[in-house]
Amino acid sequence: MLQVKDLFVAYGQSEALHGISFEGRANETVAIMGRNGMGKTTLFKSLMGILPLKSGSISVAGQDISTDASYVRVAKGIAYVPQGRMVFPTLTVEENIQTGLENAVHKRIPDEIYALFPVLWDMRRRKGGNLSGGQQQQLAIARALVTDPKVLLLDEPTEGIQPSIIKDIAKALNEIRKMRKITIIVSEQVLSFAMDVADRLFVIEGGQLVHATARADTDQQRIKAYLSV
Ligand SMILES: Nc1ncnc2c1ncn2[C@@H]1O[C@H](COP(=O)(O)OP(=O)(O)O)[C@@H](O)[C@H]1O
Ligand SMILES: [Mg+2]
């Protein structure tokens, strides 16, 4: 569903990704694990077209998106929940979700979204800025989901979120995959969360994937060693 081949990405003269290749299958969740500064956000921004590729290619469901503008990539089936969530603080919950429906014929938010995140229904008239971190994360996921993606990217969704809510987010991601059979790519530093959601795990270090494992074969000590400084 998502094919990433030999991505090189640079900030000016400074190369940040040095040949990243992986794929995400339909009905699969993949975790990209790595410490701060290793290239997770750079990878996701380049997948979304926020950063240009120096070389390499990206395709979604067989369609090349490597040089498309971000909105075209969204139309072709890739959606993004950015690090720090980036909800619009002065818009209501409902309006925040509707920004994901900008190009849709109906602005009506599907019931499925509120079934997945009941708290968003309860708070639909509240301003995004008044939600807790965990609620904002759910809102950001809802906003991405209404674009009906084939591939959903989440950049460190557990960052700054309390443990009980982290469990809820893992449950929601597993529910989404079960309902929609989509590909979910999640970057993380929290191994327990990744083990709850991911079928396969990669480790990114210095802009390269240095380790890959299926969940069942995961050597957790080894991954923890990569994650600790
Ligand atoms: N806007 C930028 N300009 C220059 N270098 C950047 C910029 N953003 C990130 N970098 C560098 O790219 C590397 C990867 O950063 P990033 O993708 O943010 O890592 P992560 O998301 O894993 O914490 C780091 O060395 C970081 O300093
Ligand atoms: Mg980051």
Side-chain angles (χ1 to χ4, degrees):
M1 196 60 89
L2 174 70
Q3 272 215 319
V4 176
K5 273 193 205 145
D6 221 16
L7 289 198
F8 285 79
V9 175
Y11 293 101
Q13 299 288 44
S14 157
E15 193 178 271
L17 300 184
H18 319 286
I20 300 258
S21 300
F22 70 97
E23 52 177 56
R25 300 165 198 140
N27 194 21
E28 181 183 51
T29 299
V30 171
I32 311 274
M33 310 296 297
R35 295 199 306 274
N36 284 335
M38 289 304 159
K40 302 179 298 296
T41 297
T42 303
L43 172 61
F44 282 14
K45 285 184 174 172
S46 63
L47 294 177
M48 288 312 295
I50 299 162
L51 287 171
L53 303 182
K54 230 169 89 179
S55 63
S57 70
I58 308 159
S59 68
V60 170
Q63 278 190 299
D64 189 274
I65 61 162
S66 313
T67 59
D68 289 335
S70 299
Y71 74 95
V72 178
R73 296 185 197 214
V74 172
K76 286 182 175 174
I78 186 163
Y80 175 46
V81 180
Q83 184 168 15
R85 324 184 247 286
M86 310 294 177
V87 310
F88 300 105
T90 60
L91 298 186
T92 65
V93 165
E94 197 166 41
E95 289 163 346
N96 264 280
I97 300 173
Q98 281 165 339
T99 63
L101 289 167
E102 213 140 65
N103 298 309
V105 187
H106 304 288
K107 294 272 183 275
R108 202 180 157 270
I109 299 163
D111 295 340
E112 180 195 283
I113 295 292
Y114 289 128
L116 202 52
F117 301 114
V119 66
L120 297 182
W121 171 259
D122 299 336
M123 303 193 86
R124 66 193 181 282
R125 312 259 183 255
R126 302 271 281 273
K127 299 258 189 271
N130 294 337
L131 271 55
S132 72
Q135 291 162 347
Q136 288 187 357
Q137 188 62 46
Q138 297 179 55
L139 175 54
I141 296 170
R143 180 179 62 189
L145 265 188
V146 294
T147 67
D148 202 14
K150 300 179 175 85
V151 177
L152 176 64
L153 310 176
L154 302 104
D155 194 4
E156 293 204 46
T158 67
E159 192 186 27
I161 286 174
Q162 61 189 79
S164 64
I165 312 293
I166 290 179
K167 285 271 169 212
D168 289 347
I169 291 174
K171 227 173 87 189
L173 291 189
N174 286 329
E175 192 74 11
I176 289 164
R177 192 194 38 184
K178 203 165 130 202
M179 276 177 355
R180 302 226 180 153
K181 314 280 185 222
I182 62 175
T183 304
I184 298 176
I185 313 285
V186 58
S187 85
E188 261 308 327
Q189 303 198 39
V190 177
L191 182 57
S192 58
F193 176 81
M195 292 298 288
D196 279 346
V197 299
D199 302 291
R200 289 187 298 139
L201 296 88
F202 290 94
V203 175
I204 187 168
E205 193 144 276
Q208 287 178 301
L209 297 181
V210 295
H211 180 64
T213 174
R215 171 171 42 196
D217 308 329
T218 299
D219 177 348
Q220 295 201 34
Q221 287 314 316
R222 182 161 179 198
I223 301 218
K224 278 186 185 152
Y226 281 118
L227 293 173
S228 62
V229 265

